[in-house]
Amino acid sequence: MNKKVLILSPHADDEILGCGGFISKFSKQNYHINVLILTNANKGAPEIYSPEKIKEIRNEAKISNNFIGTKKLFFEDLPALNLSNYPIYKIANVINKYIAEINPEIVLIPSANDIHDDHKIIFKAAKVSMRFNKKNNIKKILSYEVLSETEWNENEKSFNPNYFVKLDKSDIDKKVKAFLKYKSQVKKFPHPRSKEAIINLSKVRGSHVFMRHAEAFKVERILD
């Protein structure tokens, strides 16, 4: 049976910035990769994000994930930018629904060190939903880094990866191209959410394990 993966993405594009190389590499190995984009900014900040804007971003997400190899893409409507006023247990219940439906072996979640409150809250809710108090098939939980979020080292806690995924040049090229399909989110270098920054980070993480390119993760749990 092909391994099932669930990637929890607070916002559209986090899944590509944090896990795009992973998706490219393992989709080619027939992993069944599922991405869940959890929030809708129109629900949390309608004065900033119109329904039309959300429709545009979600269409970009569909194009990007289809391109990179995601098998299934799901959207929820939790209130982005306002998750701090939303009960953790309700967020955990949403995540539980997808864990029960997908039955993943691997789950990728945002880092607890990210500057964005939405990311920290999704991290906490994910950990709540995957506690050792119910039966599931999860063997591996990894947290990922997101450019412009994780490097801020919230609460002076740096992201110290201890799990690396080697990427071929084709994987990093595909990750970059997938991110560029998020046309509304792409920035010009030296902004961290730029083509050049994605490539540079992959080289830095690759050099940590004597590879040309890599994606880095932090082990939250591994069950052999």
Side-chain angles (χ1 to χ4, degrees):
M1 181 181 292
N2 297 333
K3 288 186 178 180
K4 296 179 180 178
V5 179
L6 175 59
I7 299 173
L8 301 180
S9 181
H11 314 105
D13 82 359
D14 291 330
E15 79 286 358
I16 300 299
L17 287 169
C19 315
F22 181 104
I23 299 172
S24 174
K25 177 173 183 169
F26 291 109
S27 64
K28 291 182 292 188
Q29 297 179 26
N30 294 320
Y31 280 43
H32 193 288
I33 297 177
N34 304 269
V35 169
L36 171 59
I37 296 173
L38 281 151
T39 65
N40 178 342
N42 177 251
K43 303 295 184 182
E47 72 280 9
I48 301 175
Y49 293 93
S50 67
E52 292 74 22
K53 184 64 175 178
I54 298 305
K55 184 177 180 181
E56 175 190 3
I57 293 172
R58 288 190 168 187
N59 186 57
E60 291 172 347
K62 291 173 184 176
I63 295 170
S64 178
N65 278 275
N66 182 64
F67 171 79
I68 204 163
T70 299
K71 193 73 172 179
K72 287 188 178 181
L73 175 65
F74 303 93
F75 295 100
E76 281 290 335
D77 288 313
L78 297 173
L81 309 181
N82 200 24
L83 279 187
S84 57
N85 295 315
Y86 200 83
I88 287 285
Y89 82 90
K90 289 188 176 181
I91 302 172
N93 284 344
V94 170
I95 295 170
N96 282 337
K97 180 180 71 174
Y98 287 90
I99 290 174
E101 177 182 336
I102 295 167
N103 195 29
E105 183 173 330
I106 301 169
V107 181
L108 307 183
I109 64 177
S111 171
N113 299 332
D114 289 0
I115 192 66
H116 202 308
D117 280 346
D118 286 358
H119 289 224
K120 291 195 285 286
I121 292 166
I122 296 300
F123 171 90
K124 184 175 181 179
K127 294 294 283 288
V128 168
S129 73
M130 293 183 283
R131 287 180 296 186
F132 280 115
N133 60 4
K134 60 180 75 71
K135 187 175 181 179
N136 58 48
N137 193 42
I138 298 170
K139 301 295 191 300
K140 188 181 299 181
I141 304 171
L142 307 173
S143 57
Y144 58 85
E145 61 182 335
V146 175
L147 284 161
S148 82
E149 302 288 354
T150 315
E151 71 266 23
W152 280 89
N153 300 331
E154 178 71 340
N155 299 324
E156 298 183 356
K157 294 179 180 179
S158 62
F159 182 77
N160 293 313
N162 53 10
Y163 189 101
F164 295 82
V165 173
K166 176 187 175 183
L167 302 179
D168 294 333
K169 187 176 184 303
S170 62
D171 294 319
I172 191 63
D173 287 347
K174 200 162 189 179
K175 176 176 180 173
V176 168
K177 289 177 181 177
F179 179 66
L180 293 178
K181 294 185 184 301
Y182 274 106
K183 294 180 181 180
S184 66
Q185 307 302 307
V186 176
K187 307 297 182 183
K188 292 184 178 180
F189 188 77
H191 195 285
R193 291 184 177 231
S194 62
K195 169 185 175 180
E196 293 86 352
I198 292 171
I199 295 170
N200 290 344
L201 180 60
S202 76
K203 290 180 178 179
V204 169
R205 294 311 188 194
S207 70
H208 290 174
V209 287
F210 205 66
M211 301 292 173
R212 290 191 176 275
H213 298 281
E215 266 179 355
F217 301 85
K218 183 175 180 294
V219 173
E220 302 295 337
R221 187 177 85 191
I222 290 182
L223 176 63
D224 288 329

